[in-house]
């Protein structure tokens, strides 16, 4: 019927339908149009505990400290930032079927984040991240208990393919097992969906696959880039060498955070460009990197090719987060997106 109405051959119409299905513009054999194109965040959810020293920290002895406990996890934090910005968000994560896990999911659902497809384990505790901060709010030590993420295997990934199929943008954190990260990159290489990877620590940089074709953007800090490329970044030549290494592996775009020094970004075969970070009084660094990643993701979700503006939005969100003790700033709003535009 479509062929007759359009004056095309049946094979031509079938080809167009197949292309639209691959691009996720229609879903399945019923040719259902997706209601929206959410950002789908894939990775860790856990409880964040912050212990902040009330005086100069002394090792090998007891130190007076204040304690706070909030929802955490890189993918979860990014999802909450995006939801507070007014975007439609879907989180695919893993939590224990315990009070902490139920609380984490309920908190996000209250903000409008969809969590269907997330893994609920009845034989494991929800993950935790404990940060030890000095009196100025700088991170001194962090301990992560995130065994549950190891259950997010390629087999689990196959079970939640329908949730990912509707995504306008996919974001994965590198808490994911290596084979799961590889599967997501390979999937994006075929589907053409925008995939952003966010690093979480130096020890987990080896979870990134060797073949990065299909990965649209990698966001990481300077130390993580040094670990990934195997050499120090002490000169512009060293920076250029690191960028060349990743481009040889197929990476399209790269963003490197440098704290108060701002960010470096590279795209389209060009050398690094730099953006300065806003100067703010730091109250707590926890969550600032996740806020930056969320801002970049939100910007690219609106304008996929405007990486510079997306990074400016990321810097704005990170600066706001640095000035609060909250892991995610509670006063983020959609107005920030319209202002950035």
């Amino acid at each position: 019927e479509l062929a007759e109405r359009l004056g095309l051959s049946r094979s031509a119409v079938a080809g167009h339908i197949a292309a639209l299905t691959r691009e996720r513009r229609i879903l399945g054999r019923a040719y259902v149009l997706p209601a929206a194109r959410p950002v789908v965040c894939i990775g860790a959810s856990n409880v964040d505990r912050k212990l902040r020293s009330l005086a100069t920290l002394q090792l090998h002895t007891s130190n007076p400290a204040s304690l706070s406990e909030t929802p955490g996890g890189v993918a979860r934090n990014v999802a909450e930032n995006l939801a507070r910005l007014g975007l439609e968000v879907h989180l695919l994560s893993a939590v224990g079927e315990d009070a902490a896990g139920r609380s984490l999911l309920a908190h996000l659902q209250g903000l409008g984040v969809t969590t269907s497809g997330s893994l609920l384990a009845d034989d494991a505790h929800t993950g935790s991240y404990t940060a030890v901060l000095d009196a100025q709010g700088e991170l001194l030590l962090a301990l992560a208990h995130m065994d549950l993420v190891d259950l997010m295997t390629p087999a689990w990934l196959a079970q939640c393919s329908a949730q990912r199929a509707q995504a306008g943008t996919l974001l994965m954190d590198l808490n994911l097992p290596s084979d799961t990260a590889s599967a997501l990159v390979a999937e994006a290489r075929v589907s053409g969906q925008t995939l952003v990877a966010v690093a979480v620590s130096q020890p987990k940089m080896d979870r990134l696959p060797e073949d990065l074709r299909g990965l649209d953007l990698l966001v990481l800090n300077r130390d993580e880039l040094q670990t990934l490329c195997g050499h120090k970044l002490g000169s512009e030549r060293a920076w250029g060498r690191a960028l060349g290494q990743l481009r040889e592996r197929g990476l399209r775009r790269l963003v490197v955070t440098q704290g108060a020094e701002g960010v470096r970004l590279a795209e389209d075969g060009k050398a690094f460009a730099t953006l300065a970070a806003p100067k703010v009084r730091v109250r707590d660094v926890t969550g600032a990197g996740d806020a930056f990643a969320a801002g970049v993701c939100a910007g690219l979700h609106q304008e996929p090719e405007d990486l510079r503006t997306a990074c400016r939005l990321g810097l704005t969100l990170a600066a706001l987060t640095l000035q609060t003790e909250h892991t995610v700033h509670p006063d983020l709003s959609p107005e920030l997106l319209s202002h950035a535009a």
Side-chain angles (χ1 to χ4, degrees), residues 276-294:
K279 296 185 183 301
V280 297
R281 183 177 179 180
V282 177
R283 190 168 183 180
D284 188 335
V285 299
T286 309
D290 301 339
F292 174 80

Side-chain angles (χ1 to χ4, degrees), residues 172-197:
M172 69 173 185
D173 73 32
L174 293 183
N175 284 305
L176 293 171
S178 300
D179 51 358
T180 303
S182 296
L184 283 167
V185 173
E187 183 178 273
R189 188 158 58 239
V190 174
S191 71
Q193 285 178 293
T194 298
L195 175 64
V196 177

Side-chain angles (χ1 to χ4, degrees), residues 28-336:
R29 290 179 175 270
Y31 307 146
V32 176
L33 298 179
R37 307 275 285 174
V39 180
V40 176
C41 300
I42 311 167
S45 294
N46 50 259
V47 177
D48 273 357
R49 297 184 179 91
K50 294 185 239 180
L51 288 162
R52 182 166 179 166
S53 177
L54 300 179
T56 302
L57 199 65
Q58 299 182 53
L59 297 180
H60 312 298
T61 188
S62 177
N63 291 265
S66 61
L67 170 66
S68 64
E69 188 172 288
T70 59
V74 173
R76 195 224 69 87
N77 289 347
V78 171
E80 181 178 344
N81 274 281
L82 293 172
R84 291 186 182 278
L85 290 173
L87 296 180
E88 182 167 349
V89 188
H90 196 129
L91 176 70
L92 295 172
S93 190
V95 298
E97 214 163 344
D98 51 21
R102 290 191 292 270
S103 176
L104 286 173
L105 296 184
H107 177 259
L108 283 177
Q109 290 162 1
L111 293 169
V113 177
T114 304
T115 61
S116 60
S118 288
L119 191 154
L120 296 173
D122 58 7
D123 57 351
H125 294 293
T126 297
S128 66
Y129 170 88
T130 302
V132 179
L133 311 174
D134 64 18
Q136 288 72 48
E138 290 293 332
L139 178 67
L140 297 177
L141 174 70
L143 299 172
H145 174 257
M146 298 183 182
D147 296 348
L148 263 181
V149 182
D150 293 335
L151 299 179
M152 298 173 70
T153 62
W156 166 80
L157 206 59
Q159 294 174 8
C160 54
S161 60
Q163 286 85 353
R164 297 194 312 284
Q166 300 179 46
T169 303
L170 289 161
L171 178 142
M172 69 173 185
D173 73 32
L174 293 183
N175 284 305
L176 293 171
S178 300
D179 51 358
T180 303
S182 296
L184 283 167
V185 173
E187 183 178 273
R189 188 158 58 239
V190 174
S191 71
Q193 285 178 293
T194 298
L195 175 64
V196 177
V198 180
V200 299
S201 67
Q202 290 173 259
K204 293 183 178 179
M205 290 313 302
D206 61 359
R207 301 194 176 192
L208 201 63
E210 182 64 29
D211 187 352
L212 299 178
R213 291 173 300 139
L215 181 60
D216 185 75
L217 173 67
L218 173 61
V219 180
L220 75 178
N221 65 32
R222 178 177 179 147
D223 291 338
E224 290 159 350
L225 180 58
Q226 289 182 153
T227 297
L228 181 61
C229 294
H231 60 82
K232 297 290 185 181
L233 299 171
S235 65
E236 289 302 318
R237 183 177 180 181
W239 278 96
R241 179 184 167 198
L243 180 57
Q245 286 177 257
L246 293 176
R247 282 181 172 157
E248 286 178 3
R249 291 169 62 176
L251 182 66
R252 182 178 173 225
R253 299 192 283 189
L254 177 67
V255 171
V256 187
T257 61
Q258 303 182 96
E261 297 177 31
V263 301
R264 289 185 179 228
L265 60 144
E267 58 182 331
D268 301 324
K270 299 176 184 176
F272 277 110
T274 59
L275 290 175
K279 296 185 183 301
V280 297
R281 183 177 179 180
V282 177
R283 190 168 183 180
D284 188 335
V285 299
T286 309
D290 301 339
F292 174 80
V296 172
C297 191
L300 293 179
H301 192 62
Q302 294 190 123
E303 296 292 341
E305 297 305 316
D306 194 349
L307 182 59
R308 184 179 291 266
T309 298
C311 285
R312 289 197 184 99
L313 178 60
L315 287 167
T316 298
L317 264 63
L320 290 171
T321 305
L322 286 168
Q323 297 173 78
T324 178
E325 293 182 353
H326 296 277
T327 301
V328 177
H329 199 297
D331 295 330
L332 300 182
S333 68
E335 283 70 29
L336 282 168

